[in-house]
Each structure stands twice: as C-alpha cells, then as structure tokens.
Amino acid sequence: MSLGSSLDPATVVAVTTAGSFVAAGGAYLAASRRPAPPTWAERHARGSRIPEFPALRIFEYVLVALLAGYAFFDRAFAWIHVPGTPLFLSEMALAFGLFAVLGTHPRLGEAARRSAAFRALAAYMIWGAGLLAVSLPRWGLDAVRDSVLWYYGAVAIYVVVLVRSRPDRIRRWLRWFGLAIPALLVWGPIAVVLDAVYDDRVPLVPDSEIPIVAHRTGNVLVLTGMAVAFLWLVDHAGVLYDRRQRNFLTALATAAVIFSAMRNRGGFVAVVIGLVVVLFFLRRRRSELTVVMVGAAVLLLTVGLLSDVRLALFGDREVSVEQLVANLESVVDPDSGGKRQSSTTKWRLEIWERVFEDVTTEFPIAGFGPGPDLGERYGITTDENVPLRNPHNSHVHILARMGYVGIALWAILWVAWIREMLGLRRRLARRGRRTEAAVAVWILVSAVAILVNAVFDPTLEGPQVGWWLWSLFGLGVAMTLLERRGVLPDLHLGRRPRRFE
C-alpha cells in the first residue's frame, strides 16, 4: 500500500502546510528580533575577524574531499560506508555538518529574508520532511533512502553558512576546481573505458555490489562541460592557464565529449545545452571557443573516418564515427538511432507516462510518498535485472514521490534560483566586476547541465551528483547575499586577491 492510499491527501496538506507556516514564522521572528551580526567581510574591513566554530572549518575540508571523491570516483566513492550499516559517507558528513552549523549560530534569517530561492528550498524540504514523517513508521529505511531527493538540500544550507562566515572561501574553492581540471579531463575518458571493460572483472566496494571502477558516463560529460565553461568564463585573465594551455585543454575536453557521447546521449545533450549558454554569455571570445571545439571535433572525426577505427568497448555500442552519428541522430529522431536506442527511448517514455497517469488519477497531492518500490511496481531494472527504485528520471521521480505539490515546489525553487543568478550576473556586469559576473554564469551553467542530465538518468538520487548540485545552489545563494550587502569579495584567481570594494 502506498502513502497516497493509506493517508487522506487533505490531512497531508493540512499538517505539512501548517508546519511550514509555523517553521517559517518562527524563523522570521527569531531573525528579526535583533539585527543580523556583521559578516566576516564587514569585520575584516575594520581589521577584526569573527570567531568560527572549529568544526565548521573541518567541515569545509570534508565537503571539498567528498566533492573531489565523487568527481573522480563517482559511484564507487558514493558507496563507501560503514560495513554492515546503512551509514554512507554522505549521510555521516550531513550529520557532522549539522553539528558544525548549529555550533556556529548561522542566523539564516538573513538568507530567508533576502533570497526567494532560499525560501523556496525551505518550503520544498519541509514538504519532503512531512512526507517522510508520515511514511517512516511503515517503510523504515526505504523511506529515508527515497528522501535524498530533498534532504541533500541541506548541503546548500551548509554552503551558505560556510561562505557567510568566510566569503574568501569562494575564491579558494574556485581555484581548487580550476587546478583539478587537467586531471578531470584526462581521467574522465579513462574512467568510462574502465567502467565498460572491467565492470565485472574488478573487486567490489566492500559490503556492496558496486565495482571500484563504476562510473556514469553522463556524470563524466557534465564535469567535462563544467571544466570547459570554467576555462573560458572564470579564468578569463589566464591566471591558471595561458591561452595555449586553455586551447589545448578545450581540445582535450572536446575529444572526451566525442568519445563519451558514443555511450551516453543524455550527458551529451546536457553538455551541448551548457555550452550554448556559455556561448551566449561569452560574447568577446565566442568565435575563438567555437573555432577550437569545432576544429578539434573535425580533426578527430576525420582521423576516425580515414583510419576506420572500430573498438568494441561498450558492448553493442562500438567506438566509431558511425556509432557517434547514430547516437546524435537518435537525439533528434529516436527511431533513427538503431533498435537498441529506439527501444530504450520508447521504454522510458512509457514508464514516465505510466507514472504521470498513476500520480494524476490516484495520488495527485502527495504522490506515492517515500518508501514504496517503484521499480517493482513498474518493472524497472538494470541491465543485470536488479530492481531500481526510480523511473529513470529524477524530475519524474520527484513527482512520483512528492506529488504535484512537490514537483511544483521543485519548479519554483529552480525558477527563483535561476532568476536570482541572472540578476546577480546583470548587477555585477553593470558595475564592471567581470570575474564575479563570470563566476555567476559558471555556477548557472553547471547547475543547468546537471538538471538536464537528470532528465535522462536518475542522478540526483545519489550523492555523487546531488552534493555537487546543491553545493552550486548554495554557492549561488551565498554570492547573492554578499552582493546585496555590498561585501562580495574579489574572486580573481591570482594568489593575492585584491581588496574588497
């Protein structure tokens, strides 16, 4: 029995809505009783610093270590946990982050007052918490497992607190990501090959059925797109890489995208959409980026055609120019990409249609709720016939688990956030803060690419993507808050940042 059939939807709405208003009202009153304390940037300008709870500084490095682990080792790193328990690294880090944040007295009332996206996130998480509270007695840990769709949003809150406490963290994180780009671009295609060739021949992650080389190709493609966007938007002054190095890395990224696109169409679409957004905002060097990527692609495809390269690395999908063309054609016309591509597309569309019909007719308010096994209900399995708990689309999964109220809050959340990021970029560009405006665009492009990829692959259900998405969300909110206070630091990537405005 699902949540929708065991509980009156009106009761769910009444209880959750009442809880939302009480929580929001209490937070607002607590925040408005006295003015918010000055940020670190404000006190730094006067020569003093705000004492910071030591656990928060530790959590910063925990966060960076997890994001790096998810970027380089993907699913294998996400499945590292205490043997015999359901405690994964991500959940343990969330608990530690809560301890660190509460000990710092973050006073998030400022974020709630100044950021519509932050308020939308709070409403989305409160609705999800209400559904979890109702489902937990019946479904136990299964309900908690399905609730990652909303409780990973806590990462965004932690990032806001980290940046609010020390705004210079933004620049440090950006520099670390920039320095990791060459390794990401080289390791990405290698990881894709290892996952395809040695998936069933290597040791498993202890106490799991996940190989130590398990990687999702779509995730590799999204990270590659993020790297290209960073090179051309954020490092525009050539602090980390000069022009020749940037062009070489861009050509390397192009090769990685072409290679990975032979296995995954969804990630390729996400990268293309992200790069289109980059070209729209790039303006001055738009033609240079186009020439580098198109030139590298033409060169690689010409070599592939002349040498007639055919490598059987991906099972029935070989590495060849013909396979790439078939995959690209199937994006536009699902029936033209071959039997496997067309059957996969048709199967997913049928699953999504059945979920829409069931939610609309039976559980429109709260959905199935967290806990019920959707894989068993709809016959969704992996290639190894292992049941999955989601309908191969993170957005449809949110509809299934949280109903039309949940999917509406999800849409409002991202519309509000994208609007804030566009407004932040516009204000920064108007004031001549080119680097900071470029960072806002990079954050926007990265999040959009992840959301697009989640249409084709249920990636938001795992920490290897969920933590990256919510970190970007929190970073965008934090930058908006700092800019509105007039204390956003200089984000130039040089070793010695300039003074605040």
Side-chain angles (χ1 to χ4, degrees):
M1 181 182 296
S2 67
L3 175 62
S5 59
S6 62
L7 187 68
D8 181 12
T11 303
V12 176
V13 175
V15 172
T16 309
T17 304
S20 303
F21 277 107
V22 170
Y28 181 82
L29 291 176
S32 59
R33 291 189 62 176
R34 52 181 172 175
T39 63
W40 173 83
E42 293 169 325
R43 292 198 176 186
H44 177 78
R46 299 198 298 265
S48 62
R49 294 171 64 90
I50 295 178
E52 187 177 66
F53 192 42
L56 194 63
R57 293 195 293 271
I58 297 174
F59 179 74
E60 176 190 3
Y61 294 100
V62 171
L63 173 66
V64 172
L66 285 177
L67 293 179
Y70 295 144
F72 283 98
F73 303 105
D74 205 85
R75 295 173 63 202
F77 194 82
W79 275 86
I80 297 177
H81 66 294
V82 179
T85 73
L87 295 177
F88 291 80
L89 286 180
S90 57
E91 275 63 30
M92 290 186 284
L94 283 176
F96 178 69
L98 180 62
F99 166 74
V101 166
L102 291 179
T104 308
H105 304 292
R107 300 193 184 280
L108 294 171
E110 177 196 6
R113 289 193 305 270
R114 293 174 175 263
S115 173
F118 191 88
R119 293 193 296 271
L121 171 63
Y124 172 73
M125 294 184 66
I126 290 172
W127 176 256
L131 297 180
L132 174 61
V134 173
S135 299
L136 189 60
R138 175 175 176 80
W139 297 104
L141 288 177
D142 284 340
V144 177
R145 181 191 307 177
D146 295 332
S147 296
V148 298
L149 288 166
W150 64 264
Y151 74 65
Y152 279 162
V155 176
I157 299 175
Y158 298 166
V159 170
V160 171
V161 174
L162 283 168
V163 174
R164 188 181 184 280
S165 177
R166 295 286 189 274
D168 61 330
R169 283 189 167 114
I170 304 177
R171 177 183 160 275
R172 183 161 65 237
W173 295 345
L174 292 172
R175 185 175 178 83
W176 286 345
F177 180 85
L179 293 175
I181 285 177
L184 285 173
L185 296 181
V186 172
W187 172 245
I190 297 175
V192 171
V193 173
L194 291 177
D195 178 56
V197 176
Y198 298 104
D199 186 38
D200 57 349
R201 308 181 204 173
V202 298
L204 303 178
V205 177
D207 198 30
S208 76
E209 298 181 355
I210 304 298
I212 61 174
V213 295
H215 282 75
R216 289 187 181 274
T217 309
N219 297 347
V220 173
L221 284 164
V222 168
L223 281 169
T224 302
M226 290 173 60
V228 173
F230 187 95
L231 290 172
W232 290 86
L233 290 171
V234 181
D235 193 28
H236 62 86
V239 174
L240 299 181
Y241 306 100
D242 59 31
R243 184 176 181 179
R244 288 181 298 178
Q245 292 172 330
R246 182 177 66 238
N247 290 342
F248 172 77
L249 291 174
T250 303
L252 183 63
T254 304
V257 168
I258 291 175
F259 177 77
S260 301
M262 297 178 189
R263 190 184 188 192
N264 186 281
R265 293 170 291 172
F268 178 78
V269 173
V271 169
V272 170
I273 292 177
L275 291 177
V276 168
V277 178
V278 171
L279 291 172
F280 177 80
F281 286 103
L282 195 58
R283 298 183 185 277
R284 293 183 180 180
R285 289 173 297 162
R286 182 184 303 167
S287 58
E288 183 181 356
L289 173 58
T290 303
V291 169
V292 172
M293 297 201 72
V294 172
V298 170
L299 177 62
L300 289 172
L301 294 178
T302 301
V303 172
L305 284 173
L306 294 178
S307 60
D308 195 24
V309 175
R310 296 179 183 274
L311 301 176
L313 296 178
F314 305 142
D316 59 344
R317 294 188 183 185
E318 63 180 12
V319 176
S320 65
V321 176
E322 288 79 0
Q323 181 63 58
L324 176 64
V325 173
N327 281 2
L328 297 183
E329 287 180 348
S330 66
V331 172
V332 180
D333 181 8
D335 295 329
S336 66
K339 182 177 179 180
R340 188 181 190 276
Q341 286 92 337
S342 60
S343 61
T344 300
T345 302
K346 182 179 179 181
W347 172 77
R348 291 188 180 187
L349 292 176
E350 289 177 351
I351 294 295
W352 299 344
E353 183 178 359
R354 290 175 61 189
V355 172
F356 274 105
E357 291 177 353
D358 286 350
V359 172
T360 302
T361 57
E362 300 183 44
F363 323 112
I365 304 298
F368 293 96
D373 192 340
L374 299 183
E376 181 179 346
R377 179 185 181 95
Y378 296 108
I380 308 173
T381 62
T382 63
D383 295 336
E384 295 80 18
N385 292 322
V386 177
L388 293 178
R389 302 186 60 83
N390 55 73
H392 266 290
N393 182 323
S394 293
H395 308 287
V396 175
H397 194 198
I398 291 172
L399 172 66
R401 295 294 181 189
M402 304 174 71
Y404 279 102
V405 173
I407 197 65
L409 292 172
W410 177 253
I412 293 171
L413 179 156
W414 287 108
V415 169
W417 184 80
I418 291 174
R419 182 180 178 184
E420 285 190 4
M421 296 306 298
L422 291 174
L424 173 64
R425 181 261 169 194
R426 184 174 58 252
R427 293 191 300 272
L428 290 171
R430 188 183 302 129
R431 291 159 53 193
R433 303 195 64 177
R434 184 181 174 190
T435 299
E436 291 72 28
V439 170
V441 175
W442 176 74
I443 294 172
L444 175 63
V445 168
S446 302
V448 168
I450 292 175
L451 292 173
V452 172
N453 188 45
V455 173
F456 306 94
D457 197 9
T459 57
L460 304 186
E461 289 80 345
Q464 65 268 32
V465 175
W467 275 61
W468 271 97
L469 178 65
W470 291 116
S471 295
L472 292 167
F473 183 97
L475 188 57
V477 170
M479 284 186 61
T480 301
L481 296 176
L482 294 176
E483 187 275 334
R484 287 175 175 171
R485 278 199 168 199
V487 292
L488 180 65
D490 191 323
L491 300 182
H492 190 269
L493 298 179
R495 294 187 179 277
R496 295 183 179 180
R498 292 166 287 185
R499 293 180 178 274
F500 300 118
E501 284 191 339

